[in-house]
Amino acid sequence: MHNDKRISMEDTWSAAELKRHLSRKKDEHDRKHRGGDSTERRHRDPDWESTDKHGDRRDARNWDRKEDRERRRERDRQDRHGHDSREDRDKRKDQMRHDKDRLREGRDEEDRHKRREDRERRREERDRERRTEQDRRTHEEREHREGDMDLERRREDKERRREERDRRTHEETEDREGDIDLERRREDKERRREERDRERRTERDRRTHEREHKEGDIDMERRREDKERRREERDRRTHEEREDREGDIDLERRREDKERRREERDRERRIERDRRTHEREHREGDMDLERRREDKERRREERDRERRTERDRRTHEEREKREGDVDLERRREDRDRRERQEDKKHSRAEREQHRKHKEERRDETRHKDRRHHDERRRRDLEEGAEAVRHRRGDEEHAERDRRRERRHREDSETHPRDGHQDKQSPSQERKSVKKAEEHVMHSGDVAAQEAGDAEQPVAIDESLQQYEDDFEDYEEDFEELDEKDKGGKEEEEEVKAIQRAMGEENQRVRASLSSLSREEEEKMPEEKSSAQKPGRSSQRGKFMDFVAARQREVIKKVSSKQKKRSAELLRLIDLDLSTTMSLLDLPPVSEYDMYIRNFGAANTKQAYVQCNEDNVDRDVQTDEIDISDKWTQHPAEHCGACGDPSGSHDTRDMSGVNLDSRRLAAFLRSASQVMVVLLEEDHAQRTSFKGRSTQTDTLSFSDGSVQLNTKLPFLDGRTISVLHFSPVQRHTLLSVHQPASSPGAVVQLDHCSIICIWRIWEPSRPQKILLVESEVTCCCFSPGKSTLVFAGTSIGSVGLWDLREPDGDHKRLKVGEDEWTFRRPTFSTDALSAAHFSSVTSVEVLPASVPGRPGSEVPLLASEEELLGLSFQLASLDESGLLNIWVVLQLPKANEAGSQTDLGLRPGGKVKLLHSSSCVMSEGAWPWLADKSVPLQTLALKFLPTDCSHFFIGTSMGLVRHGTTQGLKAPPKFYSSQDFGARLVDVSAIHFSPFRPCLFLVGCGDGSVRLHQVSCDKPVTEWTDSTAGEAVVSLQWSQTRPAVFCVVDAASNLHVWDLLKKDSGPLVTEHMDRLTAMAAFGDPGQQNAYSGIATAQHSGKIEMHYFTHDFSLPSYEEDETLERISQAL
Amino acid sequence: MEGSDTYPIRPNYQRKFKPAVVKECIHEIVKKRLAEAEYDPEEASELTSTLADCIKDKIKSLGFDRYKLVVQVTIGEQRGQGVKMSSRCLWDADTDNYAEDVFMNDSLFCAVAVFGSYFY
């Protein structure tokens, strides 16, 4: 036999063969890949045709491979030397393809034989397997039972178990009943197939004819369609159940179906062939069938195993998940326990009940089906006895499917086939052993079933169920037959399309029926643990079938009512879609707000603000108001019409005051003089008393003396040549200091004479200091106020000083600590042509020609001055006898730049001398001098105080010439001594008496003093020996007493004459220390008259001696005495 | 029209759902219940349901006959996030209405919406 041989061949592959086989396999793989079909894709391919084809091809390939191998081996054997087994790849491929095609047909025939064999064998094995299955399943039971259980009971258990199993498998699927039917039908089919095989073996021809006949039958057709539909449904269910995981399985199963169909087709073909060569192939067909059955058995075994494990898993899950459903759970547990522990009696009763329930429900739910299949059922009733056995076959059928599936899976995993075969071969043997037993059991089963039916009160239900199952099986049987009858693929496809349509229809119907009752279950349709669903639904179905129906009715009624209501209402009202209503719109809080909310208020408080708010700067933009008190006076007589009481003189308005600065200066000058004099007088009076007290001892006539301060640095070492008092201002004294013989303190002044003007009341310092370049021989004051000083010098010039000039105009020298102003002459006659050419011996101011008494001079002088101003005449006499008369002119305006015409005038000076006339005393007038060759010298000049035209000149001949300025002749021309006419003796001094202007004293160089009267040429009195022959240096009448006069001789003796007391000689003669000059002073007009003499010593000391009252106070008889003396002449 | 049924398709005015009244009612309850409340994720769900029940009972007592009430209470933690809630209804605007109120304190916000739908 081929099969045996092949198996044996496969079992005993040589190494080389294996290698070849593997390489070829690899080639096949490559080819597959080149085709672009991966196994995965092929598995998932929705097109069943293609997948089936692939599967076919693969199966065929498997077959091919075996046979090819065989053939190749044979071929190799045949042309081992001629051909190389590995000639050319393409060639071989082509050949292989060719072989394949060729072989497929051959294989079909082989298959047919094989399958027949298989079928027989499989039946045997199935029985055997069933027993082993039972054994295995009831392993525990059997252990307890110890094999003493009778067959019937065992069969019953088996049945029951199978029922449960069936139920569970049905529950797995959504469409429970359909599944069960399917299963059952499949079982039936199996069984029927077995029977058929058996029949076929015995009376094959008849059956084939019958089948052909039946093909035309519509009933048969419908049945077949039903079967197809159910199969599809199952496929769909399995597809749904095992969505992802079992997708492959689904596919596989479909392929299985396909395969099965193909097998059937093969079978059909085989049958046809059988018809043709039924005799010949009888045995082969048997074998084929047998073999197929074996295969089936094997597959069923595997499937069974698989399903059991599946079931276990499901129950496990169920247990875990559905703890709440205690009742159900317990029941199932009980069931399990029953299965395992073989609690026989109890379980049987319950199981019977279960079955009853199930059947009831099935009745209810499948009334339609029943109706449809009444006819069939009736027919099935006849075969009812076999139902139980068929039912068992159902299980096996499922198992077969599973096994096939697994085998496919193994194939896809390229499981080594030989290993698989090795495994299978012992099981086949075992199955064949079991087969015999199974036959026995089958018979036993039938008996038991019948007995059970009799026992059960609701046996009819069960039988109905069985009938139904049987019917299904029957149907399947027909279907199988139909399929066998089918000619080719086209027909198959057509059938499939119809089946699909039918399945959908069926599904719809079933869904509408079962939807209400299964609503609760369908709430969780996607649950993968499909075991759960069947278990629960089966239980519920059993308890709530009627209630559910009633409910359904009620619900239907209510819903229809509501439907109507809603329909009516919707017509009345309008529904509209409201605008979107914003329930809450909370904008996101900004980061800062968030911070403030979280930390701003937490644990903190705002204590201070740093905005500098309180730092306010106050400022006012208006000026402060000044407040002051003011007063006003209504008639604004005063310049200051207003003022304030606080005495702020600054604010007083001074604009109204007109200042006459000149007047003020004059006022201040005079006032200051007065003040100074007053102060000096005070001082002098105080000191004079002391001085008197000290000086009285030395001088008999003196009542005291005042010493002028001549101890000045620039006066040091100078001898005083002249002392002169102003005739008007009797307290003004000038002293002429000769140029220094030895160098003094101020060198530049050494060659100059200095004239100091003193006030006797200010002995401390000289008032003014006048500076003359040459030796001053004589000087005099201006009449009136002593504002002008004239001086004649030894060089023949006459100088003039205006004492009114301010100090600032003159040169100031700092001598020692003090500053002194040295005044230069305002006017000098040096530049005048009419000036003297010999030493000027005397300068005299021509007295104003106003007759008046000397006593009333003072008031007259003021008026005089005012009348005349400063215009008066000055006469100067030099030694040559030239007498010049000058007019003193005061310029109205000073010229600071100096005068161009008046060359002697210093710049800024206002007083000048204008030469008016001159006369020479020497010519013609001197008769006595003609015979004398000695030149006449004119030594002194005096003017008659009452008539300024008469002048008296003392000469060196002891004579005094009397002359007039107009040239008029005056009676005595000469005044001579008593005894002698002219003799050579100098007239050194002439002095008119201040009280009697017609009397004058003449002092001579021989020491004689003569008193002359103007009208007589002979003297009144002549004192020849009064000075003891010493020359008279100075002779002065007293200013207060007319009878007193003082004579200083060259031997520094001072003789004082008082004609009242002694007219023969001097009354007092006092010897003084080297007297150089002497001047008498005194004011006769005043009550507090004083008089005295000022003496200058050689050392330069000036002392002022005040006469005692005897010499100063005049007495009445003095005038008489003088009268008498003058009368005496 | 074979059906002679009559339907009250409009409520009595006195019985009509009045948003202002309801809103006041919501406000009162929420304020009372949540014034011192702190957000607690554990309790929030419990709180919302109790609040909703409370509000529902209160509104029921207002006597809106034939009204079906839907009370929606949302409590969320307030952490500065932005929240936007809105709703849309397909209803008969003549009879149906809604009232909403929002309550907020430092830690949570609570939005309550009550929809009254008339049952014809």
Side-chain angles (χ1 to χ4, degrees), chain A residues 148-160:
Chain A
D148 62 342
M149 287 300 199
D150 57 3
L151 270 166
E152 183 190 335
R153 202 190 274 170
R154 207 183 305 161
R155 198 198 50 195
E156 273 180 2
D157 282 341
K158 245 180 282 168
E159 255 179 31
R160 245 173 292 148

Side-chain angles (χ1 to χ4, degrees), chain A residues 565 568 576 578 581 584 586, chain B residues 7 80 83 85 89 91 98 120:
Chain A
R565 178 185 159 83
E568 284 174 4
D576 51 357
S578 70
M581 300 169 296
L584 171 65
L586 195 65
Chain B
Y7 304 106
V83 182
M85 275 176 64
C89 301
W91 63 17
Y98 83 106
Y120 300 101

Side-chain angles (χ1 to χ4, degrees), chain A residues 564-565 568-569 571-589 594 597, chain B residues 1-2 7 78-80 82-93 98 100 102 104 109 119-120:
Chain A
K564 184 182 151 211
R565 178 185 159 83
E568 284 174 4
L569 271 170
R571 258 178 295 161
L572 297 174
I573 56 172
D574 293 327
L575 291 182
D576 51 357
L577 194 63
S578 70
T579 55
T580 306
M581 300 169 296
S582 180
L583 297 180
L584 171 65
D585 191 357
L586 195 65
V589 180
M594 197 65 201
R597 218 176 60 186
Chain B
M1 286 264 291
E2 49 93 28
Y7 304 106
Q78 181 142 311
R79 281 188 158 279
V83 182
K84 204 155 197 166
M85 275 176 64
S86 57
S87 68
R88 287 195 95 176
C89 301
L90 177 65
W91 63 17
D92 185 0
Y98 83 106
E100 53 92 17
V102 176
M104 272 192 263
F109 66 87
F119 181 68
Y120 300 101

Side-chain angles (χ1 to χ4, degrees), chain A residues 949-1112:
Chain A
S949 58
H950 296 270
F951 57 86
F952 300 88
I953 296 171
T955 65
S956 56
M957 297 302 282
L959 292 175
V960 176
R961 179 171 171 154
H962 174 236
T964 57
T965 53
Q966 287 89 17
L968 299 174
K969 286 192 180 176
K973 268 194 167 174
F974 297 99
Y975 299 92
S976 61
S977 65
Q978 203 78 303
D979 302 332
F980 311 101
R983 58 176 183 156
L984 202 68
V985 64
D986 289 343
V987 178
S988 57
I990 300 168
H991 193 244
F992 281 89
S993 169
F995 298 99
R996 289 205 178 253
C998 58
L999 288 174
F1000 65 94
L1001 281 168
V1002 176
C1004 293
D1006 58 348
S1008 61
V1009 175
R1010 302 177 286 184
L1011 179 64
H1012 284 275
Q1013 194 166 16
V1014 178
S1015 57
C1016 179
D1017 59 338
K1018 293 296 177 191
V1020 179
T1021 312
E1022 191 173 340
W1023 297 276
T1024 53
D1025 287 329
S1026 60
T1027 60
E1030 293 289 325
V1032 174
V1033 176
S1034 175
L1035 177 149
Q1036 288 273 311
W1037 285 95
S1038 167
Q1039 298 289 328
T1040 54
R1041 283 185 64 184
V1044 178
F1045 61 95
C1046 301
V1047 176
V1048 175
D1049 60 11
S1052 296
N1053 292 318
L1054 179 67
H1055 309 278
V1056 180
W1057 264 271
D1058 188 355
L1059 297 174
L1060 292 178
K1061 293 180 182 165
K1062 181 183 168 184
D1063 53 3
S1064 59
L1067 183 69
V1068 179
T1069 298
E1070 289 285 341
H1071 180 74
M1072 304 288 282
D1073 183 29
R1074 294 175 66 189
L1075 289 175
T1076 55
M1078 185 277 294
F1081 65 91
D1083 189 0
Q1086 308 289 330
Q1087 284 294 334
N1088 53 350
Y1090 65 90
S1091 70
I1093 53 169
T1095 57
Q1097 294 170 358
H1098 183 73
S1099 61
K1101 191 162 72 175
I1102 298 170
E1103 283 182 345
M1104 297 180 67
H1105 300 276
Y1106 289 89
F1107 286 128
T1108 58
H1109 293 289
D1110 301 336
F1111 294 103
S1112 59

Side-chain angles (χ1 to χ4, degrees), chain A residues 73-88:
Chain A
R73 238 171 277 151
E74 283 175 357
R75 197 176 52 197
D76 285 349
R77 253 177 270 134
Q78 281 166 10
D79 35 38
R80 187 161 290 170
H81 307 288
H83 278 287
D84 195 352
S85 63
R86 299 167 177 275
E87 257 182 11
D88 185 13

Side-chain angles (χ1 to χ4, degrees), chain A residues 30-141:
Chain A
D30 289 344
R31 221 183 316 158
K32 258 187 272 169
H33 280 291
R34 240 171 276 142
D37 273 340
S38 71
T39 49
E40 281 273 305
R41 221 174 123 188
R42 199 165 51 236
H43 277 287
R44 280 178 195 167
D45 204 332
D47 192 359
W48 296 358
E49 287 294 319
S50 69
T51 51
D52 284 349
K53 234 182 266 172
H54 274 288
D56 269 356
R57 201 179 292 155
R58 207 153 43 150
D59 282 358
R61 228 179 278 141
N62 287 342
W63 283 105
D64 287 350
R65 232 177 283 151
K66 289 176 200 165
E67 285 184 354
D68 203 28
R69 244 175 280 146
E70 278 180 83
R71 236 174 347 108
R72 211 186 303 131
R73 238 171 277 151
E74 283 175 357
R75 197 176 52 197
D76 285 349
R77 253 177 270 134
Q78 281 166 10
D79 35 38
R80 187 161 290 170
H81 307 288
H83 278 287
D84 195 352
S85 63
R86 299 167 177 275
E87 257 182 11
D88 185 13
R89 198 168 184 163
D90 291 336
K91 199 176 170 184
R92 196 176 53 193
K93 267 182 214 163
D94 286 344
Q95 204 188 345
M96 272 161 60
R97 230 169 281 152
H98 187 65
D99 284 348
K100 226 187 284 169
D101 291 338
R102 193 165 50 82
L103 276 167
R104 200 169 285 167
E105 290 188 352
R107 180 175 47 101
D108 285 347
E109 283 193 348
E110 283 176 2
D111 276 355
R112 233 175 288 137
H113 291 294
K114 257 184 263 170
R115 265 169 219 158
R116 207 160 290 161
E117 281 178 357
D118 270 352
R119 200 168 285 179
E120 281 191 348
R121 198 176 51 193
R122 239 178 268 152
R123 195 173 40 195
E124 284 176 359
E125 280 177 359
R126 199 172 7 183
D127 289 343
R128 212 188 329 156
E129 192 185 48
R130 208 177 292 151
R131 222 175 311 141
T132 56
E133 280 287 302
Q134 281 158 8
D135 286 346
R136 214 165 1 105
R137 229 177 285 141
T138 59
H139 183 62
E140 291 161 339
E141 296 172 15

Side-chain angles (χ1 to χ4, degrees), chain A residues 625-636:
Chain A
I625 301 166
D626 287 334
I627 300 173
S628 62
D629 295 333
K630 297 282 186 184
W631 57 262
T632 54
Q633 193 176 348
H634 168 52

